[in-house]
Amino acid sequence: MGLRLDLLLLAAALLFSPALSDLVILKVDRRVDLTSQIVRVTSTLKVENNGKDAVTEVLLVFPDRQVKNLAYLFAVSSAGKGKAKSYSHTLSVNEINLKGMPPSLVGYLVSLPEPLGKGESYTLDVLAVYTHSLKPFPEKITQADIQLLVFEDSAYYLSPYEVKAQSLTVKLPQARIESYTRIENTKLHGSDIKYGPYENLPPFSHSPIVVHFESNRPFAVARELVREVEISHWGNVQVTEYYNVVNRGSEITGEFSRLEFQARPHIRGPSSFRNLVAKLPPRTHSVYYRDEIGNISTSHLWSDSKKTELEIEPRYPMFGGWRTAFTIGYGLPLQDFLFESEGKRFLNFSFGSPINEIIVDTLFMKIVLPEGSNDITVTAPFPIKESRETKLSHLDLVGRPVIILEKSNVVPEHNQYFQVYYTFSGISMLREPLMLIFGFFFLFITYILYMHADISISKSSPSYLAKMQWEEVQAVIQQVENIVSRCLAVHEKLEASLQDLSRTGVVQACKSVRKSADSTLKELYKEMKPLLSFLQSSSQAAHILPKVEELVTKERELQEKLMTKHLTVVDCYEKKLGGREIENRINAHQQKITVLRQEVDDLLDYIDEL
Amino acid sequence: MGEKPNQANSVSPSATSAAPAGSKSSDLLSRHFSIRSLKLKTKEQELLLRVTVLCLVYVLAFITRLFSVLRYESMIHEFDPYFNYRTTLFLTEKGFYEFWNWFDSESWYPLGRIIGGTLYPGLMVTAALIYWTLKVLRFAVHIREVCVLTAPFFASNTTLVAYFFGKEIWDSGAGLVAAALIAICPGYISRSVAGSYDNEGVAIFALIFTFYLFVKAVNTGSLAWSLASAFGYFYMVSAWGGYVFIINLIPLYVLVLLITGRYSMRLYVAYNSMYILGMLLAMQIRFVGFQHVQSGEHMAAMGVFFLLQVFYFLDWVKHQLNDTKLFQAFLRITVTSAVVVGALALGVGTASGYISPWTGRFYSLLDPTYAKDHIPIIASVSEHQPTAWSSFMFDFQILLFLFPAGLYFCFKRLSDATIFIVMYGLTSMYFAGVMVRLILVATPAVCLISAIAVSATIKNLTQVLRAKPKIVHSCSSKGGSSAKTSSKGLLDQSQPIGKNGAIALLFGAFYLLSKYATHCTWVTSEAYSSPSIVLAARGAHGNRVIFDDYREAYFWLRQNTPPDAKVMSWWDYGYQITAMGNRTVIVDNNTWNNTHIATVGRAMSSYEDEAYEIMRSLDVSYVLVVFGGVTGYSSDDINKFLWMVRIGGGVFPVIKEPDYLVNGNYRVDKGAAPKMLNCLMYKLSYYRFGELTTEYGKPPGYDRARGVEIGNKDIKLEFLEEAFTTSNWIVRIYKVKPPKNRW
């Protein structure tokens, strides 16, 4: 492989050198960070224009086996040195297909902010992030073994330009190194391997190196991650993330002994990882962590005003090759993520996974907008495949629009904000509550209608007729009862007037009350007469008639007694008799009234019960 | 509905003024207020009270079953519900026809199981219908939530049926009490808490619904009610094998009515239409098929059906013949010939094999010792054991004392309906005594009969209290304090106890009932709300420790074994492995093939090399055992092991129970039988356990579940290797190694 690449590079050098020889790289510092499963290569390039024409673009080339794993490429112009470095410009990077370039090389063009004149130089930083470029070797280990990884690269910076001076630093997680390629100028400082400096190398120089080292960092890879963000304009953004995680480190072979793992977990299961930490936005609430078969009880949550940290443990320790799947969900306050501009609302949300140092092979970001949203556009900081679907959720009629953003090979560097613009009228918010209200309203209406509807099949059957008659009789009895009750109310009024009299002594008022009561009662009797005659004529009422008649007579009796009592009292007052005297006179009446009243009440109750 | 009384109160102070404009009901109320001194009519008051109480009971029945959801989570419990859940999931995903024709290759490997033809689909179809209805109404719920809440929902519905049933057999007061009692009765709650997604959850509803409809049909003689009861029966048949109880109890009841001379046209209509239609409907369930005409358990119903025809015929002849003597002769001839023909038909049917004899399960109900001697697989299930007194007390509490009192009241007022409830109560009480799980069937009857006792007693007492002293009125007039006389009902007017006695007794009754309520709540929360998948214990500092080992293991199986892996375990865990682990199992809780289970039992009780042969022949790739030695979890495989030996030995005489016992004692320590110490189950349970210190101050290898130090600490496995052990060692999974190369 190495030899073939060399040949290709030679060919490339021959083909390309005339076309691109204007630029010269004065200095390249490359730092390869191997401390996690994600390989980050930072290159600081200082380019100089040696040609006559102004140059606007710098070409970066990568071998295709690296490009396959290249998740993220980012270039900034860096001014200043060391810590005072300020990243002023983000430079645009575009993949190009140069004619004549061998297929094993892929080129990227970095556009400079301003043309580079003759003799001028420019410094830029390039960050390349690779996934899956650390290979476990051996591929299968036992529970107690340490995980060893292999990293391959070139000691020389691969460039279509001549490179004047360069160096490479490989940073390893631990000082324990199995082996590494030694060429000239190779030094080992603790956990850093240094290659270089090398000077004056022609374009497309190449010198393969291999580093074989120990690393027990988690190799958590989400084979698939679906993040679903559902917006509710009632104040909540609900995020649900479905993970499908595998440990892509060395696969475990042989026994898994719980005893060993329990007794000495750090020695006896070094290649496994037990937990993952997710950094969630501040003010996250209602967090849950579960999988297909239920809640997982091993998780911890810390929150402060700046962030929320969720530590989750899978159900079992994750050894190499073991898989797990889980779901985490949480709610976020709407006002932190939803804004308005130019009459449109937009959601500002971060793209990648909140879990630290995890690689996502395929990420689906689903944004579920409220029903009735339209005019949807998405802006994202990097190219994403976009598609649409609808989702039916609570009380939806046509479904909520869903935007699906798909991207493969996602690393934490992709945790950047993207925006979804849409229009949505506030009134649509009320649709669902109104639907519920009307739903229940119609339910009750139907019930009322059902209660009042006559749905018997045969309208002439004797039982039906009897039922109708009985209902009529009941209605009439009800009326009679009402009238009796009204009479009783009048009685109350009379009694009340007597009490007034005893308090104020105004006889006239009392008399007028009696007069009006008298007339009302007479009217009530008039009303009662036809009802009674109806009852007498109806056959259905035969068994209840005596009671009703008794009620009416008792009531009348009661009324007479009351009237006499009233008369007596008023009389006594006119004669200015003493209280005791009055009491004596009405005592007999009073007792009868009480008894009668009781009887009337009983009769009313009895008729009621029917 | 509960709002109504409040409304009434809020309106009454404003006297006759206009009621707040709005709902119709308040209009209606206000009219009465203005007219009858701000009072509802007694009848309306009673209706309002009744509806309110019923609504409260309905809600109570639901929420008292939610302890497990609050304490754990919304999850499916125990063993069988996992199968039901899995099939429901299949039904909602693939539709009814796929479900009906489902051949499940994931269980009973390599035989498989025809799911559609070997299950009662009522529960799954019910849950799926609820799910689809909610979906149409656009409530986006997960099918799991529907399954979890199906049982409480049906328990709530059962309270309603109990009310109507009580009303039918006694009065509406008894109905209300019955509804309240059954809502919280532990005997019923044990099978209907949220998550207990089992056939019984809907079947008890179907059972008493069918009974109610049938009693209603007998009381009215209406064709509509008997048809309704046939459909209720159909639902019951589709839901649970316990329908056999109905199809035997109802004929028995009819027979008793015939013997006691209570034959009537109402009974004739009710039974005939219910039986014929119910039978035809039941035949539509594939699992039941033609059993109604072919199996011995259903013959009683058919016999009574023909008997009823004979009775009707005799009645008609009696009507036609005026000569008593002639009729007597005719009667003798007819009865004799009918009996002879019936016996002949039964004999010929049984002899020719057309009518199958009674099944073992049926026998074991009639003879509690039958299963122990003949079918160890039935006897091995703990819920099939005869009931202890304590569990009666636990599940019924005061109902146990009220039950005889209720029977007394029933006998005092015998009617067709009370005869039915008495028979239901007595037979189901017998069955409850034979098998623990049948307490469930007895619960509705016990609640209803006790409700009669409570209601009748309290009614009598309150009547004593409310009896109006004859004209002892003070002059205070004003009808406000008028003590209303209730309608003079059934009660005789003599008063054996005074008012004070009545008050004391009422307080006593109130005290008992409140004790019952607290007991029920306590039992529900402590005993019946554990999902048994997740175990909880108290830690050293009083904190709650959760053992979620089962799910840990099942999820590991699901994720980290090849999709075609076959898992061998004891049958208890079969349903859970297929549902949660999504892997093929050799045997599961549907114990339809005794030989297959015996093979697994044999493998577990053989030496490793012999077991390896069996496992190779069954194509087993993983073996799962449950082990409680570390946590002290006692229902593990070592404690079930003797049943494996017995069941295995029942089919393969190579396995002999005495080989595993020492002087008839079952031991796992140093004194254990050598075969025990080296059988596969022992090895798999205790592999490397000898190196672990489980308890401070005890030697390594101390088994906390059995409280002994194990006898074989140096276990080497030759043909298997440990694949996974959960964090508390409760589930251990071993991988069967591929055969060694010969060269």
Side-chain angles (χ1 to χ4, degrees):
Chain A
M1 181 69 200
L3 184 69
R4 224 185 75 210
L5 186 71
D6 283 347
L7 288 174
L8 282 169
L9 291 176
L10 190 67
L14 292 173
L15 281 166
F16 266 51
S17 39
L20 291 159
S21 59
D22 289 352
L23 281 178
V24 167
I25 300 180
L26 293 181
K27 196 169 178 236
V28 183
D29 281 324
R30 277 194 300 152
R31 292 169 301 281
V32 179
D33 185 357
L34 300 182
T35 50
S36 82
Q37 58 163 338
I38 301 169
V39 177
R40 293 187 173 85
V41 182
T42 322
S43 320
T44 311
L45 303 170
K46 192 173 181 190
V47 291
E48 193 186 57
N49 188 358
N50 281 356
K52 294 174 200 114
D53 305 329
V55 177
T56 55
E57 286 163 329
V58 178
L59 179 70
L60 308 174
V61 293
F62 297 90
D64 64 347
R65 67 190 164 91
Q66 276 185 11
V67 168
K68 200 175 67 209
N69 296 330
L70 181 66
Y72 186 71
L73 186 65
F74 180 69
V76 284
S77 72
S78 65
K81 283 242 161 191
K83 295 216 167 138
K85 226 182 247 182
S86 64
Y87 294 103
S88 46
H89 295 287
T90 307
L91 305 174
S92 74
V93 183
N94 296 307
E95 187 178 341
I96 55 149
N97 233 333
L98 281 181
K99 265 184 203 159
M101 196 156 64
S104 62
L105 288 180
V106 179
Y108 289 89
L109 268 186
V110 178
S111 322
L112 298 177
E114 51 205 39
L116 205 59
K118 183 178 185 309
E120 287 175 338
S121 69
Y122 189 80
T123 312
L124 69 158
D125 277 353
V126 178
L127 170 69
V129 180
Y130 300 96
T131 56
H132 306 306
S133 50
L134 292 176
K135 294 275 174 267
F137 184 81
E139 284 181 349
K140 291 194 175 185
I141 55 173
T142 65
Q143 182 185 351
D145 287 340
I146 290 161
Q147 176 170 276
L148 296 169
L149 304 175
V150 170
F151 175 71
E152 290 178 61
D153 201 356
S154 163
Y156 303 148
Y157 180 62
L158 186 64
S159 170
Y161 310 110
E162 189 187 340
V163 182
K164 294 282 186 206
Q166 60 171 300
S167 68
L168 167 71
T169 314
V170 180
K171 193 170 183 304
L172 301 176
Q174 280 166 345
R176 288 171 59 181
I177 298 163
E178 193 81 2
S179 70
Y180 62 98
T181 311
R182 283 165 205 273
I183 50 174
E184 50 172 331
N185 285 344
T186 307
K187 271 172 268 158
L188 179 66
H189 285 292
S191 61
D192 288 2
I193 304 172
K194 273 213 155 117
Y195 289 96
Y198 307 111
E199 282 170 359
N200 288 330
L201 287 170
F204 297 107
S205 298
H206 182 78
S207 166
I209 53 163
V210 175
V211 185
H212 193 198
F213 62 100
E214 179 187 326
S215 170
N216 288 324
R217 297 300 158 101
F219 255 68
V221 177
R223 289 180 296 169
E224 190 185 280
L225 165 62
V226 179
R227 297 186 81 201
E228 194 178 281
V229 180
E230 188 160 351
I231 297 167
S232 158
H233 278 268
W234 293 96
N236 191 33
V237 176
Q238 180 66 35
V239 186
T240 319
E241 302 178 350
Y242 304 91
Y243 285 88
N244 206 331
V245 173
V246 63
N247 183 347
R248 282 266 165 81
S250 311
E251 283 183 26
I252 182 174
T253 175
E255 282 194 343
F256 163 70
S257 170
R258 174 63 70 172
L259 180 76
E260 307 261 322
F261 185 78
Q262 226 165 27
R264 301 168 283 266
H266 293 291
I267 310 165
R268 288 307 187 155
S271 61
S272 68
F273 65 89
R274 297 199 72 156
N275 56 6
L276 296 167
V277 178
K279 278 211 178 65
L280 305 177
R283 289 185 291 286
T284 302
H285 60 88
S286 347
V287 182
Y288 65 84
Y289 168 45
R290 55 172 296 134
D291 60 24
E292 279 161 286
I293 60 172
N295 178 53
I296 309 170
S297 49
T298 42
S299 61
H300 305 277
L301 188 74
W302 297 275
S303 55
D304 55 35
S305 61
K306 294 215 178 68
K307 62 173 192 308
T308 311
E309 225 173 46
L310 173 69
E311 184 199 335
I312 54 175
E313 267 180 46
R315 289 192 187 268
Y316 37 84
M318 291 290 289
F319 278 93
W322 284 13
R323 284 181 286 261
T324 190
F326 57 85
T327 305
I328 54 179
Y330 45 92
L332 298 167
L334 186 73
Q335 69 269 19
D336 292 6
F337 298 93
L338 195 76
F339 307 95
E340 240 177 296
S341 80
E342 296 161 14
K344 281 188 121 183
R345 297 164 198 256
F346 72 95
L347 172 82
N348 192 34
F349 208 76
S350 84
F351 187 76
S353 159
I355 292 183
N356 290 346
E357 291 297 292
I358 193 171
I359 296 173
V360 183
D361 283 352
T362 320
L363 190 147
F364 295 94
M365 184 90 205
K366 293 187 178 178
I367 297 102
V368 184
L369 298 175
E371 197 176 15
S373 312
N374 38 38
D375 237 346
I376 304 161
T377 50
V378 180
T379 57
F382 34 80
I384 303 176
K385 211 164 114 190
E386 191 187 323
S387 55
R388 297 280 165 91
E389 64 176 32
T390 49
K391 178 190 174 184
L392 280 176
S393 185
H394 291 294
L395 301 174
D396 285 348
L397 289 180
V398 291
R400 308 182 181 191
V402 181
I403 297 108
I404 305 173
L405 307 175
E406 184 188 340
K407 180 157 176 52
S408 55
N409 242 347
V410 180
V411 289
E413 273 75 9
H414 286 112
N415 277 3
Q416 297 176 18
Y417 285 96
F418 66 94
Q419 290 80 33
V420 179
Y421 292 87
Y422 64 97
T423 52
F424 178 77
S425 77
I427 297 167
S428 304
M429 267 168 73
L430 294 175
R431 217 178 42 102
E432 291 180 354
L434 284 177
M435 258 169 68
L436 271 184
I437 291 168
F438 277 104
F440 279 100
F441 180 69
F442 283 117
L443 195 72
F444 290 132
I445 291 284
T446 351
Y447 182 69
I448 290 170
L449 285 182
Y450 170 75
M451 287 308 284
H452 286 258
D454 184 359
I455 48 168
S456 61
I457 299 169
S458 105
K459 309 259 184 215
S460 56
S461 72
S463 68
Y464 178 76
L465 289 178
K467 200 179 137 208
M468 295 304 287
Q469 278 175 8
W470 175 236
E471 268 168 20
E472 225 170 312
V473 167
Q474 272 185 321
V476 171
I477 290 175
Q478 184 75 49
Q479 278 172 324
V480 172
E481 272 188 81
N482 284 349
I483 291 170
V484 171
S485 316
R486 273 156 71 192
C487 290
L488 290 179
V490 173
H491 297 175
E492 303 264 313
K493 237 183 242 168
L494 281 175
E495 293 276 0
S497 75
L498 282 185
Q499 273 182 1
D500 274 355
L501 181 65
S502 69
R503 210 170 55 239
T504 57
V506 185
V507 179
Q508 213 51 45
C510 203
K511 272 185 177 169
S512 68
V513 168
R514 189 172 71 219
K515 208 169 269 171
S516 71
D518 217 34
S519 61
T520 340
L521 285 173
K522 279 204 178 106
E523 265 169 43
L524 285 173
Y525 276 112
K526 257 182 224 159
E527 276 181 48
M528 182 105 75
K529 242 171 214 159
L531 298 176
L532 282 176
S533 60
F534 171 82
L535 283 180
Q536 274 151 1
S537 65
S538 168
S539 61
Q540 288 282 327
H543 67 285
I544 196 162
L545 190 60
K547 286 283 175 188
V548 176
E549 277 173 345
E550 194 188 344
L551 175 69
V552 173
T553 44
K554 293 272 180 198
E555 201 283 325
R556 183 157 291 184
E557 222 173 295
L558 173 63
Q559 183 190 332
E560 274 163 18
K561 292 282 172 220
L562 207 65
M563 281 298 177
T564 18
K565 177 188 162 194
H566 201 262
L567 269 174
T568 326
V569 174
V570 172
D571 221 31
C572 289
Y573 264 91
E574 278 182 332
K575 289 177 186 160
K576 303 257 172 19
L577 290 175
R580 184 154 294 257
E581 183 73 6
I582 298 171
E583 197 110 309
N584 282 341
R585 286 201 183 183
I586 62 167
N587 217 356
H589 294 303
Q590 187 60 51
Q591 260 178 22
K592 266 188 195 150
I593 286 171
T594 318
V595 173
L596 277 172
R597 179 70 201 244
Q598 186 62 47
E599 276 172 355
V600 168
D601 273 346
D602 283 355
L603 279 170
L604 273 176
D605 277 345
Y606 178 80
I607 294 170
D608 248 7
E609 301 251 317
L610 280 167
Chain B
M1 277 295 184
E3 306 293 300
K4 270 193 177 175
N6 293 340
Q7 214 168 30
N9 288 339
S10 68
V11 172
S12 51
S14 63
T16 55
S17 65
S23 70
K24 238 178 169 153
S25 67
S26 77
D27 251 346
L28 198 89
L29 290 176
S30 73
R31 208 181 54 187
H32 286 292
F33 293 145
S34 58
I35 293 162
R36 280 215 50 202
S37 55
L38 320 176
K39 261 193 292 175
L40 282 170
K41 288 161 74 181
T42 329
K43 211 172 170 185
E44 286 172 347
Q45 275 180 348
E46 198 253 336
L47 181 73
L48 187 62
L49 210 61
R50 205 160 17 129
V51 171
T52 315
V53 168
L54 262 186
C55 288
L56 288 178
V57 165
Y58 192 87
V59 173
L60 172 73
F62 193 83
I63 58 176
T64 193
R65 286 164 168 84
L66 299 184
F67 272 111
S68 61
V69 172
L70 294 181
R71 209 161 285 167
Y72 296 90
E73 59 185 278
S74 160
M75 68 186 295
I76 308 287
H77 293 190
E78 302 204 325
F79 304 104
D80 288 18
Y82 270 97
F83 170 75
N84 300 330
Y85 174 56
R86 179 169 159 244
T87 45
T88 312
L89 210 62
F90 188 91
L91 173 62
T92 51
E93 278 167 6
K94 303 259 172 85
F96 188 72
Y97 286 100
E98 283 281 314
F99 171 71
W100 209 227
N101 295 319
W102 183 13
F103 177 80
D104 178 24
S105 55
E106 282 198 6
S107 57
W108 293 94
Y109 183 85
L111 309 172
R113 176 183 172 190
I114 305 154
I115 299 271
T118 58
L119 93 172
Y120 295 100
L123 177 72
M124 298 91 193
V125 173
T126 307
L129 280 179
I130 296 175
Y131 174 67
W132 285 325
T133 313
L134 288 175
K135 224 167 117 181
V136 165
L137 293 176
R138 290 284 188 269
F139 289 101
V141 290
H142 194 274
I143 179 70
R144 187 191 60 247
E145 315 290 347
V146 175
C147 292
V148 164
L149 297 179
T150 296
F153 173 63
F154 271 87
S156 289
N157 295 341
T158 308
T159 61
L160 287 190
V161 181
Y163 163 71
F164 286 111
F165 203 173
K167 196 175 161 193
E168 192 63 32
I169 53 178
W170 200 258
D171 57 12
S172 60
L176 275 187
V177 179
L181 290 181
I182 204 168
I184 54 170
C185 185
Y188 183 28
I189 283 184
S190 67
R191 292 317 190 92
S192 62
V193 292
S196 169
Y197 179 56
D198 212 345
N199 291 334
E200 289 94 326
V202 297
I204 292 305
F205 165 77
L207 180 86
I208 77 160
F209 194 49
T210 312
F211 282 156
Y212 161 65
L213 291 172
F214 185 73
V215 168
K216 188 95 185 170
V218 171
N219 276 352
T220 57
S222 134
L223 206 55
W225 286 112
S226 21
L227 293 190
S229 79
F231 278 99
Y233 177 66
F234 171 60
Y235 185 59
M236 176 70 191
V237 174
S238 75
W240 195 35
Y243 77 89
V244 178
F245 181 60
I246 299 186
I247 203 63
N248 282 301
L249 179 66
I250 287 183
L252 193 65
Y253 165 63
V254 172
L255 199 65
V256 167
L257 286 192
L258 290 186
I259 291 169
T260 51
R262 284 173 171 269
Y263 169 79
S264 62
M265 211 44 210
R266 293 177 282 114
L267 182 68
Y268 185 80
V269 170
Y271 183 72
N272 284 339
S273 40
M274 187 267 169
Y275 174 65
I276 294 294
L277 195 73
M279 178 171 73
L280 290 176
L281 285 171
M283 285 178 185
Q284 313 308 312
I285 306 295
R286 276 172 66 197
F287 193 28
V288 177
F290 291 112
Q291 282 185 28
H292 275 80
V293 289
Q294 285 188 338
S295 115
E297 285 137 32
H298 302 75
M299 281 303 125
M302 190 177 273
V304 168
F305 172 69
F306 286 119
L307 190 66
L308 212 55
Q309 311 312 317
V310 172
F311 225 88
Y312 182 73
F313 177 65
L314 285 174
D315 216 38
W316 179 73
V317 170
K318 191 180 179 185
H319 194 253
Q320 298 291 318
L321 289 176
N322 286 326
D323 191 352
T324 347
K325 222 170 192 179
L326 209 61
F327 176 71
Q328 287 293 337
F330 182 76
L331 181 72
R332 218 168 299 133
I333 295 167
T334 324
V335 167
T336 329
S337 54
V339 167
V340 167
V341 168
L344 258 180
L346 196 68
V348 169
T350 317
S352 66
Y354 180 76
I355 298 173
S356 63
W358 289 352
T359 58
R361 273 171 206 263
F362 202 72
Y363 269 123
S364 61
L365 277 181
L366 301 180
D367 174 10
T369 56
Y370 180 83
K372 208 165 188 180
D373 301 334
H374 297 92
I375 335 168
I377 201 148
I378 290 181
S380 76
V381 181
S382 63
E383 59 182 24
H384 289 166
Q385 306 302 323
T387 316
W389 258 110
S390 57
S391 45
F392 270 119
M393 204 54 214
F394 198 62
D395 280 353
F396 290 141
Q397 225 227 358
I398 60 160
L399 301 189
L400 215 52
F401 307 112
L402 292 173
F403 181 67
L407 286 181
Y408 163 76
F409 281 106
C410 285
F411 276 113
K412 227 180 134 193
R413 203 178 94 183
L414 268 189
S415 66
D416 290 356
T418 46
I419 289 179
F420 181 84
I421 197 69
V422 165
M423 290 192 50
Y424 174 27
L426 292 178
T427 46
S428 63
M429 253 327 203
Y430 166 74
F431 290 128
V434 174
M435 260 193 204
V436 178
R437 67 188 288 204
L438 293 182
I439 283 190
L440 180 71
V441 177
T443 305
V446 171
C447 287
L448 279 165
I449 293 176
S450 310
I452 290 174
V454 172
S455 169
T457 311
I458 291 186
K459 202 165 188 174
N460 288 351
L461 291 176
T462 44
Q463 263 171 14
V464 169
L465 274 186
R466 289 168 54 151
K468 198 174 43 168
K470 296 284 171 207
I471 311 180
V472 205
H473 267 285
S474 60
C475 336
S476 61
S477 79
K478 307 289 190 261
S481 67
S482 68
K484 273 171 273 160
T485 49
S486 55
S487 58
K488 311 292 174 288
L490 37 135
L491 187 74
D492 44 349
Q493 281 301 89
S494 62
Q495 294 173 12
I497 37 171
K499 272 197 167 184
N500 292 336
I503 289 174
L505 283 176
L506 265 183
F507 269 106
F510 176 76
Y511 175 76
L512 270 183
L513 288 175
S514 61
K515 273 279 152 203
Y516 172 72
T518 47
H519 171 82
C520 291
T521 315
W522 175 78
V523 167
T524 311
S525 107
E526 292 297 314
Y528 291 142
S529 292
S530 159
S532 93
I533 281 282
V534 184
L535 311 165
R538 293 262 163 239
H541 308 289
N543 52 331
R544 206 159 75 118
V545 186
I546 298 253
F547 299 131
D548 202 358
D549 285 41
Y550 280 108
R551 288 194 292 183
E552 185 182 339
Y554 296 143
F555 204 64
W556 184 86
L557 275 178
R558 189 188 188 104
Q559 294 286 336
N560 297 314
T561 56
D564 61 344
K566 285 100 197 165
V567 183
M568 182 173 93
S569 73
W570 192 233
W571 60 264
D572 294 22
Y573 316 107
Y575 278 164
Q576 291 180 350
I577 294 172
T578 37
M580 282 194 273
N582 198 19
R583 290 293 173 267
T584 307
V585 293
I586 307 294
V587 291
D588 68 24
N589 310 43
N590 177 262
T591 52
W592 66 275
N593 189 327
N594 191 36
T595 315
H596 217 48
I597 292 179
T599 313
V600 173
R602 184 185 172 186
M604 291 296 190
S605 34
S606 306
Y607 292 124
E608 197 188 347
D609 50 346
E610 294 163 6
Y612 186 64
E613 289 300 313
I614 299 170
M615 290 189 292
R616 289 290 309 158
S617 66
L618 284 175
D619 206 8
V620 173
S621 29
Y622 289 90
V623 183
L624 182 146
V625 295
V626 172
F627 172 63
V630 177
T631 45
Y633 172 60
S634 62
S635 52
D636 66 351
D637 277 348
I638 288 287
N639 280 356
K640 290 175 186 167
F641 182 58
L642 270 193
W643 286 111
M644 300 182 204
V645 173
R646 272 175 211 154
I647 292 169
V651 177
F652 305 102
V654 199
I655 307 292
K656 294 181 199 71
E657 194 178 332
D659 290 351
Y660 301 86
L661 302 176
V662 180
N663 299 329
N665 288 327
Y666 180 61
R667 308 173 65 165
V668 295
D669 56 358
K670 276 207 176 59
K675 179 124 195 197
M676 177 74 207
L677 290 179
N678 288 298
C679 68
L680 186 70
M681 177 51 76
Y682 191 93
K683 277 182 142 184
L684 297 188
S685 289
Y686 290 119
Y687 178 63
R688 301 203 69 179
F689 182 66
E691 300 165 47
L692 184 77
T693 311
T694 52
E695 219 170 300
Y696 184 73
K698 292 281 197 286
Y702 178 75
D703 184 335
R704 291 176 69 186
R706 282 152 286 272
V708 291
E709 188 185 345
I710 60 166
N712 184 357
K713 287 191 186 174
D714 183 33
I715 295 172
K716 293 270 181 293
L717 288 175
E718 197 181 341
F719 301 100
L720 294 117
E721 65 180 15
E722 187 177 355
F724 186 71
T725 297
T726 56
S727 44
N728 298 300
W729 292 56
I730 290 179
V731 184
R732 310 195 71 181
I733 301 170
Y734 292 84
K735 192 180 176 190
V736 180
K737 285 187 192 164
K740 283 194 186 106
N741 287 336
R742 267 169 224 213
W743 310 106

